[in-house]
Amino acid sequence: MTNIVRSTCPYCGVGCGVEAHTTDSGSVEISGDKRHPANFGRLCVKGAALGETLGLEGRLLHPEINGERVEWNLALDETAARLQAIIDQFGPKAVAFYASGQLLTEDYYAANKLMKGFIGAGNIDTNSRLCMSSAVVGYKRAFGADFVPCSYEDLEQTDLVVLAGSNAAWAHPVLYQRLVQAKQQRPQMKVVVIDPRRTATCEIADLHLALRPGSDAALFVGLLNILSSSQVDNTFDGQTAALEIAANWTLEKTADFCQLDSVDVQTFWQWFAQANRAMTLYTMGINQSASGSDKCNAIINVHLASGKIGRPGCGPFSLTGQPNAMGGREVGGLANQLACHMSFDAADIARLGRFWGSERIAETPGLMAVELFEAVGRGEVKAVWIMGTNPLVSLPDSSRVAQALANCPLVIVSDVARETDTLRYATVKFPALAWGEKNGTVTNSERRISRQRAFLPAPGEARADWWMVAQIAQRLGYRQAFNWQHPQQIFSEHAALSGYQNNGTRAFDISVLANLSREQYDALEPVCWPIAAEEPSLFRSWRPDGKFQLVPVEPCLPQAVADHVYPLILNTGRIRDQWHTMTRTGRVPRLLQHITMPFLEIHPRDAIRYGVTNKGLVRVASRQGGMVARVLVSDNQRPGSVFVPMHWSQQFARRGLINALVAGVCDPHSGQPESKQTAVRIQRWQPAWQGEIFARAEIDFAPEIQWWRQSSSGVQHFLCAADSNVQAWVETLVSGRGWQLQTACGDGEFNHFLAWHKGELQLACYAAKSWPEINSVAVLAAFQQAPTSSAERYLLLAGKAPTAQEEAGATVCSCFGVGEKTILAAIASGCRSVAMLGEKLRCGTCCGSCIPELKTLLK
Ligand SMILES: Nc1nc2c(c(=O)[nH]1)N[C@H]1C(S)=C(S)[C@@H](COP(=O)(O)OP(=O)(O)OC[C@H]3O[C@@H](n4cnc5c(=O)[nH]c(N)nc54)[C@H](O)[C@@H]3O)O[C@H]1N2
Ligand SMILES: Nc1nc2c(c(=O)[nH]1)N[C@H]1C(S)=C(S)[C@@H](COP(=O)(O)OP(=O)(O)OC[C@H]3O[C@@H](n4cnc5c(=O)[nH]c(N)nc54)[C@H](O)[C@@H]3O)O[C@H]1N2
Ligand code: SF4
Ligand SMILES: [Mo]
């Protein structure tokens, strides 16, 4: 019998509905939920691969203190006692929580309540600080509330979509496909992409503005100037000052500042001014900037000034990144907010105190992510509880974060994975329930609250994040306030607080959901807040005077400046098939096959200038630190700027951490770091050898060997490179184990090794001057079933398949596992279009996110 549980995808902020089909035998299949209004059944590659992330291998399943497994009770008693001792001796501000937009609303509410309501300090911040805190500042300054005035269905009703600093094709794939469809249906709808890189998102762009990194504000301030002469019909607070600045941003000045063709700038301005309805979708290319808040307001300003807001098909739409980034904003998970859209003014503090029954409500905002870890480093914060985020990888200036945590007396980490870069520094490890096991709600980009429901039993001793918080709170003496047995009770409390003495003063009000029974909570259908209100009219209603703010914005360039020592600007971001620090997607082999190691994308002209070649290795360094990547020469890149993905941690590469280079300069209003611009230099690295290594069990790499993990279960598979002697290293590895070594070497050009033990393959190492062409499928197969004839063994030693087993090449279509070589062969045999390829190989027919690459291959 199959049991179907409806839930929500745990990855991006699109918030797609999924169905988990479980059978009695325990197998689980994930498919899209056709009834969910965020996706109507569609899933992207990551969502479709969720079923492959459910295994327990690599999971943290038991609490630990100082590396020793302990009983939950002891772990909780001990942790609470240590927290209490620190609070007693140094005060509540010596304790901090660092939470995540991937927690459920119920988890988040609990953590925020404990820290701000009962420990009594503002020190709870979240990884959303690195993500959309600038967007929050933008909305609050403009509207007086953190309200996203758009929905996905606006995309079907608009005339112009501007994507600013968003690679939605890879980062919000299902939403992007919706946009693709909308454009197919109404080709007259225009799409403008603003991004220094040409990305997969540009595939549907009528205009791509490949502007100078960090110069976006000028485009919108200049646009405001154009609008002011024709369209500004309303009086806004701040209007005079905003327009005064804008008046300086003529077409010439703007084009010059942004290093764009003035014809292109003018086209964009005209399209925006003339469109009856327009939307701007913006994400990290805007937010992750030392002037990100101002950029957000520059965008909101043009929508306000032209009246393209508060009606269908209009509005400034900040897309949230994480599945519950919006939920975090609702519960007040950022250090400078209180719960349910309340702020640190006396009336709100008093109101919250009444509702929670506490006299200890934090009276001032707490530390924001980057400064929080700086305070840890200075020893001012002595205990930090990290939940659902991996700051060693994702915060800027990683070596400083590592130093801070290494010296912090109490580091509590709640995670689902057993090994992460952050867990290395944990004093206390709490095993959390993962997706599929946990139960609660999340809110997506369009403010739609959906249920995540459990369809798997809790494994080992893993527990819900809210439960851990409640248990610690009870041990700190707050039993009454944290006496929940079920997430529904927390949700009810949160919903009630949202309406508590609200009277229309706070935009976030879901109090109609406060009295749901457990059955009703379990059956809750996806619902957008504000509930029971007409959205456009509501948008007007929380500023009863109708006054919105035009924030005066003076465009400026990034803090990072290229100079003769660090002449290139490093841009960082996402790739299609990986999620953040890869703790989940990195374990799915097919998701690692699209892009196998960190790359540095560079313009051909710069490649020549700096002497690097496609697929060669390169050392990248900033004033903060360095990493190693593989070169990808591409004219999608702007000259002067390079791109490296953010995902690789020390679990997946020896030196792949891009945040080792990022400085962590922050926006003064939002505290959001400038993760998109860092001045770097690059240096070609021609190692003595590079190659691939396969091993039956974990192996120790000599410290001078760079490695990039290709699989994290079963046979260990790595790409490697080093300047040292490969033969000497392999010999030490094999020595003393009684393995027989089979070697082949060709004149210093290549060195291949196979190590056998009792007829079983133990190790295969293929090293060469440049990347060897290895049939990894055949090599992996040889670990399952060793070749028997000596001819086959020689073929294996050559890295070839025993029979004419063809290799598919890098996976282009992850949904159906179709490789580049297969696609090229199909093109050679007559497939002339994406449709023909789809018919023959199925590639591109599921989520569609590989279509841009298929087109490139066709070209
Ligand atoms: N596959 C995948 N999808 C994800 C995630 C993931 O890890 N993997 N993470 C999710 C999360 S949390 C987030 S926040 C979102 C992020 O979603 P996005 O913001 O779309 O993703 P990024 O790749 O970080 O950056 C977007 C683009 O900003 C561009 N950019 C860099 N500098 C500038 C600039 O100065 N101006 C402009 N206009 N553009 C610039 C980059 O070239 C890049 O193409 O993705 C979500 N979705
Ligand atoms: N250079 C650069 N840096 C960036 C960015 C960039 O574009 N460039 N983007 C930034 C942005 S937008 C973001 S959102 C961050 C993301 O960065 P992180 O939040 O650090 O990345 P994740 O890998 O998602 O970390 C989530 C952690 O929580 C664990 N986990 C998963 N599910 C659960 C759960 O249910 N409970 C608990 N307790 N743990 C769980 C995972 O195993 C993982 O260790 O990175 C930021 N850093
Ligand atoms: S688009 Fe986002 S929410 Fe939807 S399936 Fe993909 S990762 Fe999940
Ligand atoms: Mo994010």
Side-chain angles (χ1 to χ4, degrees), residues 315 341 601 617 740:
H341 282 205
E601 197 177 340
L617 291 167
Q740 294 149 293

Side-chain angles (χ1 to χ4, degrees), residues 646 699 723:
M646 65 167 288
I699 44 176
D723 283 327

Side-chain angles (χ1 to χ4, degrees), residues 9-11 16 18-19 28-32 41-53 174 435 588 590-591 814-816 846-847:
C9 174
Y11 295 123
C16 297
V18 300
E19 284 181 354
V28 182
E29 263 183 46
I30 303 295
S31 59
R42 265 187 185 270
L43 292 180
C44 77
V45 191
K46 295 183 300 304
L50 272 169
E52 292 151 66
T53 63
V174 167
W435 184 78
V588 180
R590 70 172 161 129
L591 296 183
S814 297
C815 295
F816 295 115
C846 178
C847 78

Side-chain angles (χ1 to χ4, degrees), residues 24 27 36 80 130 176 186 243 245 311 389 430 501 546 580 598 601 620 623 684 756 759 772 788 835 852-853:
D24 291 341
S27 77
H36 198 291
L130 318 174
Y176 181 75
R186 291 178 299 115
L243 294 184
I245 299 177
R311 53 191 177 94
T389 174
F430 286 155
Q501 299 175 350
H580 293 166
E601 197 177 340
V620 197
R623 287 187 177 81
R684 171 196 159 107
W756 301 91
T788 42
E853 271 170 275

Side-chain angles (χ1 to χ4, degrees), residues 557-573:
L557 288 170
Q559 299 279 313
V561 178
D563 56 26
H564 62 284
V565 187
Y566 298 96
L568 292 164
I569 291 295
L570 169 74
N571 173 7
T572 64

Side-chain angles (χ1 to χ4, degrees), residues 638-705:
R638 255 180 80 91
S641 113
V642 294
F643 178 86
V644 177
M646 65 167 288
H647 305 286
W648 270 264
S649 68
Q650 296 189 51
Q651 311 299 313
F652 285 88
R654 175 158 335 256
R655 290 186 76 207
L657 265 185
I658 198 57
N659 276 317
L661 285 76
V662 177
V665 190
C666 292
D667 178 292
H669 308 287
S670 68
Q672 178 153 0
E674 187 173 80
S675 313
K676 288 284 183 267
Q677 291 100 23
T678 305
V680 298
R681 64 168 175 238
I682 60 169
Q683 193 183 17
R684 171 196 159 107
W685 178 38
Q686 178 59 59
W689 61 273
Q690 52 204 66
E692 286 188 52
I693 291 181
F694 304 77
R696 190 169 290 277
E698 281 284 348
I699 44 176
D700 284 330
F701 284 104
E704 69 279 5
I705 298 177

